[in-house]
Amino acid sequence: MASEKKLTLKESAREIFADKGYKATSISEIAKQARMAVGSFYKYYESKEDIFLDVYIDENNIIRQTVIDNIDWDRDMVELISQIFGWSRSLISSNKILLEWYNSDISEKLHNYYSSEKGINSNLFHLFLVDKFTNRMLSEGYSQEKIQEVLQVYQLFYYMDTHITEADLPNASKTIESLATYFVKGLFK
């Protein structure tokens, strides 16, 4: 029963966040939509930030699974990088919840989660990419040493994605994409 109520809260929050965005959403609206008292909200979540993080993680996993399902992973690596960024940009740009990644009201919590050990180890897309690229390099005959070097560079890309915002560096995501593309061109060409 308790997990059903938490799920109802999260579904209500997702609908409101998707419609109004993070800043314009209140805990009282979420509770009202879930047909609960505001006090009941606090049995399941400590704050609006916590429920938003829970919603964001689910939303991000859904979008990333769409990317995984729609990319031809056997393509040329440069084209593959272009596809990953292209699909991600397309799906995120039309998703009000995921666009909050750049909102200073909540971005610190999101970035802190995804850069934490828990966030890294539960980031299904990140784990998929590490596995996919490791297997690809193994099949192409790269040594374990070279694979580890490449994965270190990938970790740097992950770090940049979770620590550099558009406020820090205008067009940060496009710059990371360019850097990844040139790195892959040098590695696989």
Side-chain angles (χ1 to χ4, degrees):
M1 177 104 167
S3 62
E4 287 178 29
K5 288 185 177 185
K6 185 174 183 176
L7 183 59
T8 299
L9 269 173
K10 188 161 75 167
E11 288 172 355
S12 296
R14 188 210 167 279
E15 288 176 26
I16 298 169
F17 287 134
D19 181 47
K20 298 175 77 174
Y22 174 79
K23 190 172 187 170
T25 299
S26 69
I27 290 173
S28 61
E29 282 179 285
I30 295 168
K32 182 179 178 182
Q33 173 121 351
R35 295 187 170 98
M36 292 181 200
V38 171
S40 295
F41 173 93
Y42 291 103
K43 290 180 185 177
Y44 305 101
Y45 293 98
E46 290 183 20
S47 64
K48 180 172 89 167
E49 292 85 2
D50 287 341
I51 195 169
F52 184 80
L53 177 61
D54 204 9
V55 167
Y56 187 95
I57 291 167
D58 285 353
E59 198 71 13
N60 191 45
N61 285 337
I62 290 166
I63 292 295
R64 299 307 180 179
Q65 189 61 52
T66 301
V67 172
I68 290 169
D69 293 343
N70 285 288
I71 287 184
D72 174 6
W73 293 96
D74 295 323
R75 296 188 83 121
D76 169 81
M77 285 298 286
V78 173
E79 292 174 19
L80 186 58
I81 296 300
S82 178
Q83 277 194 336
I84 292 169
F85 279 96
W87 271 98
S88 295
R89 192 172 26 259
S90 170
L91 294 168
I92 291 169
S93 68
S94 61
N95 187 306
K96 201 167 196 170
I97 293 168
L98 294 180
L99 284 173
E100 298 288 358
W101 181 258
Y102 304 106
N103 179 346
S104 61
D105 293 329
I106 189 66
S107 64
E108 184 175 348
K109 183 158 186 98
L110 298 174
H111 292 216
N112 286 341
Y113 171 78
Y114 279 102
S115 63
S116 73
E117 187 174 337
K118 179 182 179 185
I120 291 169
N121 292 329
S122 64
N123 184 335
L124 302 177
F125 189 62
H126 164 69
L127 299 173
F128 173 84
L129 288 178
V130 168
D131 184 60
K132 184 58 81 174
F133 291 141
T134 298
N135 288 330
R136 176 83 175 256
M137 288 183 287
L138 281 170
S139 73
E140 295 190 17
Y142 284 80
S143 69
Q144 284 295 329
E145 183 179 317
K146 181 56 89 175
I147 291 169
Q148 289 310 309
E149 285 179 31
V150 170
L151 292 178
Q152 277 300 119
V153 173
Y154 172 75
Q155 295 301 328
L156 177 61
F157 286 115
Y158 189 91
Y159 180 87
M160 288 186 297
D161 187 42
T162 58
H163 288 81
I164 299 172
T165 67
E166 299 290 318
D168 300 322
L169 177 69
N171 297 312
S173 59
K174 188 68 178 156
T175 302
I176 292 171
E177 178 181 356
S178 295
L179 187 58
T181 300
Y182 290 120
F183 174 74
V184 167
K185 279 183 182 180
L187 186 64
F188 289 100
K189 292 288 182 181

